């Protein structure tokens, strides 16, 4: 790549003119919402200056509607960025305008350009991308200048509004191709709408092969789909016969032979019980069912045949303990000596908090190439709880805990304790002191690529999930073999300590892992700055704007500025999970403002808004093709979105057989 400011246009004039890509127009999908508050009205696309109104606005190729540009990392502007209009760049067009005598009007009689390259370059700097591409058709000189790297670097930073201190993506070979990648490979063209669900669609998940995906809905069905050029329903499993109220989550195991489906039991409004079902993808038979409490633990696969579920035991008014269980997917074992379930961890919960949303990160995939830009370390949010901070000379932990509890109670009874301690605060203090000597420290082991990380939402101040707990799962813990219920009963260690805690100072409403499992993306609605939780049952108010935070699980630190654009409106006690997904280059999320959003992971810019008629609950990229994205909404639909480039390829006319081959085929008959 030539980064020299000296243009080399004369050396390029003799080359064949390359055929540039043809940008597509993009538009807003339609419809008003049902339950979500209406977002502010967008200005019409033609309201912004600097780009001509493209021909055929309002339709993508063959009448396919598209998404809306969102060019910056932050709140979207009042009106979306105007799309680049479609250009006709057929190679048979005449290259350059002709004068009365057929002479190129940009050249003198001797073939010398009328304008020097440097002046043409300065003129092109004042044009938009559409005009630059169109001007490149005039003559070979202009075509060469229109491909200049410095010109497209300026176009890139100006059009996408990327901060100037952000370098080009390390994998990019030119600014022109990088501009084209962000414009032409983002899945923002709606190609199909699936309406087989009869109620709100809550979650989507792809198989690892990308050939199938599953959807969960308030209509209490789990539907499995064939992912082809035209998506088709393969199977629908009705879970109402098992006393389910609705299905909420699904996940394929590693070899795509089993499907985990999580649901909520019928019961009172405040019931928190759920269940996990394992479905065979060979014959769609129900293999096993596992209790899951609270239901928003969701559940996840640890290995190809074992899954993690949760259970909750109340200890006091606001104190409890969560037990995470390892379950065998095949529970019809005849031998009583073969375990089908094993306790994995038991963790204390304070101030009405519980463990929710478990997921597993595979440490063996951390070394996969990942070009995420480190934009400076934000304030520390991650705390290592596994350090050797205990003073051995002060005595064993159980002894110190008993002394601390005795001292606290003596002071409380004598009136020397802190005044005005509420019953809840007293319960929390006593529970902390009791658990201090009954908590097993993190199990230390040498770095092993076979280790896995168990991630889950939790908290320590209120019932609102505001922390992410991290536990290392060692190889010997990944099997149900060994003692089951009697394990550890004679030990003083009653609870398991966390290895790391991420405090986000806000309500966590979504989590997702990058394809290499190294980066954790978190949807969070922030608490007001400096807020203090005085009552665990009254958490601080949460912001409408959603922050998308990024944490590096290899270095255990926050690595990116928060991505912003999407919004949510429900309060703390009604807040629900909004699922996000991460591909190689992009990250996508749903929102309560009736849109799905797509950002670029490297440049921290919002690239597209994908419209539904109601809240968008879940988004998912195809693991084999990041230019395909699915979105699920409360409007009971699933939408498939493809990139403009993919749409052009799929809709390109097939070449007709040449006459010679037609004649040859007829002769053979």
């Amino acid at each position: 790549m030539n980064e020299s400011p000296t243009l080399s246009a004369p050396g390029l004039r003799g080359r064949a003119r390359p055929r540039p890509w043809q940008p597509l127009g993009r538009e807003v999908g339609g419809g008003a919402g049902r339950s979500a508050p209406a977002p502010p009205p967008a200005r019409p696309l033609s309201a912004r200056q600097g780009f001509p109104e493209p021909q055929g606005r309002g339709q993508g190729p063959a009448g396919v509607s598209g998404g809306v540009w969102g060019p910056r990392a932050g709140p979207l502007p009042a009106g979306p960025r105007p799309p680049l209009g479609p250009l006709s760049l057929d190679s048979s067009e005449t290259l350059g305008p002709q004068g009365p005598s057929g002479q190129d009007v940009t050249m003198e009689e001797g073939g010398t350009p009328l304008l020097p390259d440097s002046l043409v370059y300065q003129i092109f700097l004042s044009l938009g991308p559409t005009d630059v591409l169109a001007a490149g058709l005039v003559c070979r000189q202009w075509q060469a200048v229109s491909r200049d790297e410095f010109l497209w670097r300026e176009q890139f930073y100006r059009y996408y509004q990327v901060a100037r201190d952000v370098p080009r993506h390390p994998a990019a070979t030119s600014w022109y191709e990088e501009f084209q990648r962000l414009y032409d490979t983002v899945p923002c063209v709606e190609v199909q709408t699936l309406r087989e669900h009869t109620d709100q669609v809550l979650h989507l998940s792809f198989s690892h092969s990308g050939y199938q995906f599953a959807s969960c809905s308030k209509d209490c069905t789990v539907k499995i789909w064939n992912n082809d050029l035209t998506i088709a329903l393969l199977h629908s499993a009705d879970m109402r016969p098992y006393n389910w109220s609705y299905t909420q989550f699904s996940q394929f195991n590693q070899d795509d032979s089993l499907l985990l489906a999580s649901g909520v039991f019928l019961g009172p409004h405040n019931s928190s019980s759920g269940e996990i079902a394992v479905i065979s993808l060979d014959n769609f038979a129900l293999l096993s069912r596992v209790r899951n409490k609270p239901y928003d633990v969701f559940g996840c696969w640890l290995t190809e045949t074992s899954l993690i579920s949760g259970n909750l035991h109340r200890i006091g008014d606001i104190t409890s303990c969560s037990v995470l269980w390892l379950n065998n997917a095949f529970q019809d074992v005849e031998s009583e000596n073969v375990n089908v379930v094993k306790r994995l961890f038991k963790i204390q919960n304070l101030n009405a908090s519980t463990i929710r949303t478990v997921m597993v990160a595979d440490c063996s995939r951390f070394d996969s190439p990942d070009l995420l830009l480190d934009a400076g370390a934000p304030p520390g949010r991650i705390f290592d709880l596994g350090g050797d901070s205990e003073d051995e000379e002060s005595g064993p932990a159980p002894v110190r805990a008993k002394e601390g509890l005795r001292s606290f109670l003596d002071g409380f009874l004598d009136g020397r304790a802190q005044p005005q301690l509420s019953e809840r605060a007293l319960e929390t203090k006593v529970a902390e002191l009791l658990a201090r000597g009954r908590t097993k420290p993190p199990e230390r082991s040498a770095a092993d690529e076979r280790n896995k990380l168990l991630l889950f939402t939790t908290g320590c101040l209120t019932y609102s999930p505001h922390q992410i707990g991290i536990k290392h799962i060692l190889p010997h813990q990944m099997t149900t073999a060994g003692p089951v219920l009697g394990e550890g009963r004679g030990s003083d260690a009653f609870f398991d300590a966390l290895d790391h805690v991420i405090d986000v100072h806000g309500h966590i409403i979504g989590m997702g892992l990058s394809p290499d499992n190294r980066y954790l993306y978190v949807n969070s609605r922030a608490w007001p700055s400096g807020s203090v939780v005085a009552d665990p049952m009254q958490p601080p108010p949460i912001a409408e704007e959603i922050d998308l935070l990024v944490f590096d699980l290899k270095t255990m630190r926050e690595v990116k500025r928060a991505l912003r654009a999407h919004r949510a409106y429900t309060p703390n006690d009604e807040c629900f999970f909004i699922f996000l997904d991460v591909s190689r280059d992009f990250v996508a999320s749903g929102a309560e403002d009736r849109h799905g959003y797509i950002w670029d992971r490297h440049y921290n810019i919002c690239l597209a808004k994908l419209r539904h008629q109601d809240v968008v609950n879940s988004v998912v990229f195809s693991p084999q093709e990041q230019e395909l994205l699915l979105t699920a909404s409360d409007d009971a639909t699933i939408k498939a979105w493809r990139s403009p480039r993919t749409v052009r390829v799929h809709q390109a006319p097939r070449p007709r057989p040449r006459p010679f081959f037609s004649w040859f085929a007829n002769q053979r008959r």
Side-chain angles (χ1 to χ4, degrees):
M1 180 184 67
N2 181 18
E3 290 285 355
S4 171
T6 304
L7 297 177
S8 56
L12 294 176
R13 291 180 195 138
R15 299 180 182 178
R17 178 166 58 96
R19 178 184 175 91
W21 92 100
Q22 301 180 23
L24 296 174
R26 309 188 179 192
E27 64 156 4
V28 182
R34 176 167 55 87
S35 62
R43 294 167 55 189
L45 293 179
S46 58
R48 287 183 177 269
Q49 303 298 321
F51 293 85
E53 184 76 6
Q55 299 176 359
R57 178 179 299 280
Q59 294 293 333
V64 178
S65 62
V68 180
W69 279 97
R72 65 179 67 188
L76 289 180
R81 177 167 297 282
L84 302 181
L87 298 177
S88 176
L89 300 178
D90 193 278
S91 58
S92 62
E93 297 175 10
T94 303
L95 189 62
Q98 304 296 317
S101 60
Q103 180 182 0
D104 192 332
V105 297
T106 64
M107 297 286 182
E108 294 180 350
E109 293 184 2
T112 305
L114 294 174
L115 296 175
D117 289 353
S118 58
L119 184 55
V120 176
Y121 173 81
Q122 293 298 326
I123 295 173
F124 281 12
L125 281 177
S126 63
L127 303 179
T130 304
D131 296 328
V132 170
L133 291 174
L137 299 176
V138 171
C139 65
R140 290 186 174 86
Q141 179 201 15
W142 288 19
Q143 189 271 336
V145 177
S146 70
R147 294 296 183 270
D148 182 76
E149 276 294 280
F150 284 89
L151 174 65
W152 280 100
R153 182 181 64 180
E154 292 300 313
Q155 293 285 355
F156 184 91
Y157 281 116
R158 184 170 61 192
Y159 186 83
Y160 294 111
Q161 299 185 14
V162 177
R164 294 278 175 164
D165 60 341
V166 178
R168 193 176 67 193
H169 196 291
T173 58
S174 73
W175 287 104
Y176 175 80
E177 292 179 358
E178 190 68 348
F179 191 106
Q180 176 184 354
R181 178 184 72 85
L182 291 189
Y183 187 88
D184 218 23
T185 65
V186 178
C188 60
V189 180
E190 181 186 342
V191 295
Q192 191 174 356
T193 301
L194 308 175
R195 306 182 186 276
E196 280 76 357
H197 281 290
T198 59
D199 207 336
Q200 302 170 0
V201 187
L202 302 181
H203 184 257
L204 298 167
S205 64
F206 257 108
S207 64
H208 295 84
S209 66
Y211 294 145
Q212 295 177 345
F213 68 90
S215 58
C216 297
S217 169
K218 281 287 186 74
D219 64 12
C220 204
T221 64
V222 179
K223 296 188 187 297
I224 302 171
W225 309 77
N226 262 336
N227 178 33
D228 208 336
L229 291 181
T230 300
I231 297 171
L233 180 62
L234 182 62
H235 177 76
S236 180
D238 188 357
M239 303 304 292
R240 281 172 289 194
Y242 304 102
N243 203 34
W244 285 26
S245 176
Y246 59 89
T247 60
Q248 60 173 351
F249 177 83
S250 64
Q251 186 182 41
F252 291 79
N253 70 340
Q254 190 62 38
D255 63 1
D256 294 337
S257 62
L258 302 174
L259 178 68
L260 176 155
S262 174
V264 180
F265 272 140
L266 282 170
H269 176 68
N270 58 354
S271 174
S272 62
S273 295
E275 193 173 54
I276 297 172
V278 178
I279 301 173
S280 169
L281 294 175
D282 292 331
N283 54 11
F284 305 113
L286 182 62
L287 300 179
S288 60
R289 294 159 57 197
V290 177
R291 282 296 181 101
N292 192 38
K293 184 177 181 179
Y295 58 80
D296 49 4
V297 169
F298 294 131
C300 66
W301 292 104
L302 179 61
T303 66
E304 290 185 357
T305 58
S306 60
L307 58 100
I308 297 174
S309 65
N311 201 359
L312 183 65
H313 301 279
R314 294 289 179 185
I315 299 176
D317 184 29
I318 58 172
T319 308
S320 64
C321 69
S322 291
V323 182
L324 297 176
W325 295 94
L326 186 62
N327 307 269
N328 195 323
F330 304 95
Q331 300 202 356
D332 54 347
V333 180
E334 296 181 359
S335 173
E336 62 181 12
N337 297 321
V338 178
N339 297 326
V340 295
V341 63
K342 178 182 178 181
R343 196 183 84 183
L344 194 58
F345 300 116
K346 187 174 184 178
I347 299 171
Q348 184 189 42
N349 302 316
L350 301 174
N351 291 319
S353 65
T354 59
I355 286 180
R356 302 181 172 98
T357 319
V358 297
M359 61 174 54
V360 173
D362 189 350
C363 300
S364 66
R365 301 167 64 180
F366 282 1
D367 291 331
S368 301
D370 200 306
L371 300 174
L372 183 69
L373 176 68
D374 187 348
R381 299 175 187 259
I382 304 182
F383 305 95
D384 185 357
L385 304 183
D388 299 328
S389 58
E390 295 184 357
D391 185 359
E392 297 181 357
E393 297 181 359
S394 61
V399 175
R400 297 197 310 273
K402 290 180 180 178
E403 293 176 353
L405 179 60
R406 185 181 297 110
S407 174
F408 172 77
L409 293 177
D410 289 344
F412 180 78
L413 295 175
D414 295 342
R416 291 182 282 106
Q418 296 179 0
Q420 303 299 326
L421 265 182
S422 65
E423 291 184 6
R424 290 173 176 169
L426 178 61
E427 178 184 331
T428 300
K429 185 67 176 179
V430 171
E432 286 179 333
L433 291 172
L434 284 174
R436 187 174 298 173
R438 302 290 181 181
T439 300
K440 180 182 177 181
E443 188 172 346
R444 292 299 179 181
S445 68
D448 191 338
E449 65 175 15
R450 296 176 298 167
N451 292 356
K452 296 184 179 182
L453 298 179
L454 180 65
L455 313 172
F456 48 84
T457 61
T458 182
C460 63
L461 303 175
T462 176
Y463 69 85
S464 172
H466 56 278
Q467 292 179 330
I468 299 172
I470 302 177
K471 281 289 296 180
H472 288 272
I473 306 178
L474 306 181
H476 72 271
Q477 297 173 315
M478 299 182 195
T479 174
T480 57
V484 189
L485 298 179
E487 183 179 22
R489 281 189 172 179
S491 172
D492 289 333
F494 193 69
F495 298 112
D496 294 290
L498 303 183
D499 293 283
H500 306 274
V501 170
I502 303 174
D503 195 322
V504 302
H505 195 73
H507 192 124
I508 300 170
I509 60 171
M511 296 195 302
L513 289 167
S514 61
D516 67 350
N517 281 206
R518 176 174 174 179
Y519 296 98
L520 176 67
Y521 286 73
V522 180
N523 268 335
S524 170
R525 297 174 61 183
W527 292 340
S529 178
S531 60
V532 177
V533 180
D535 185 348
M537 305 309 294
Q538 294 182 355
I542 52 179
E544 288 187 354
E545 189 173 63
I546 302 174
D547 293 335
L548 187 50
L549 312 173
V550 190
F551 300 94
D552 187 344
L553 298 178
K554 186 175 183 179
T555 61
M556 289 296 170
R557 65 191 185 100
E558 189 175 1
V559 293
K560 292 282 280 186
R561 298 185 300 270
L563 304 176
R564 294 190 178 98
H566 48 332
R567 306 181 73 84
Y569 307 101
T570 51
N572 263 310
D573 55 347
E574 300 177 10
C575 210
F576 54 87
F577 219 65
I578 294 178
F579 294 93
L580 58 95
D581 196 32
V582 188
S583 70
R584 184 186 69 249
D585 297 319
F586 308 124
V587 55
S589 174
E592 292 184 39
D593 58 10
R594 308 190 194 102
H595 289 89
Y597 290 81
I598 302 176
W599 295 265
D600 182 81
R601 293 179 61 193
H602 178 79
Y603 298 107
N604 265 30
I605 54 175
C606 185
L607 295 171
K609 293 174 63 177
L610 313 175
R611 174 167 291 188
H612 275 266
Q613 294 183 349
D614 211 324
V615 173
V616 178
N617 296 306
S618 179
V619 298
V620 62
F621 289 99
S622 167
Q624 302 298 327
E625 181 188 7
Q626 69 171 357
E627 296 182 36
L628 169 63
L629 177 74
L630 304 177
T631 56
S633 171
D634 278 358
D635 61 16
T637 66
I638 300 170
K639 291 188 177 183
W641 309 81
R642 293 190 181 273
S643 67
R645 179 176 66 179
T646 305
V647 171
R648 287 198 309 273
V649 171
H650 290 169
Q651 296 185 348
R654 295 183 178 180
R656 296 180 178 179
R658 296 176 59 183
F660 172 78
F661 293 103
S662 300
W663 171 85
F664 183 74
N666 292 332
Q667 293 298 317
R668 294 193 62 180
R669 292 176 186 174

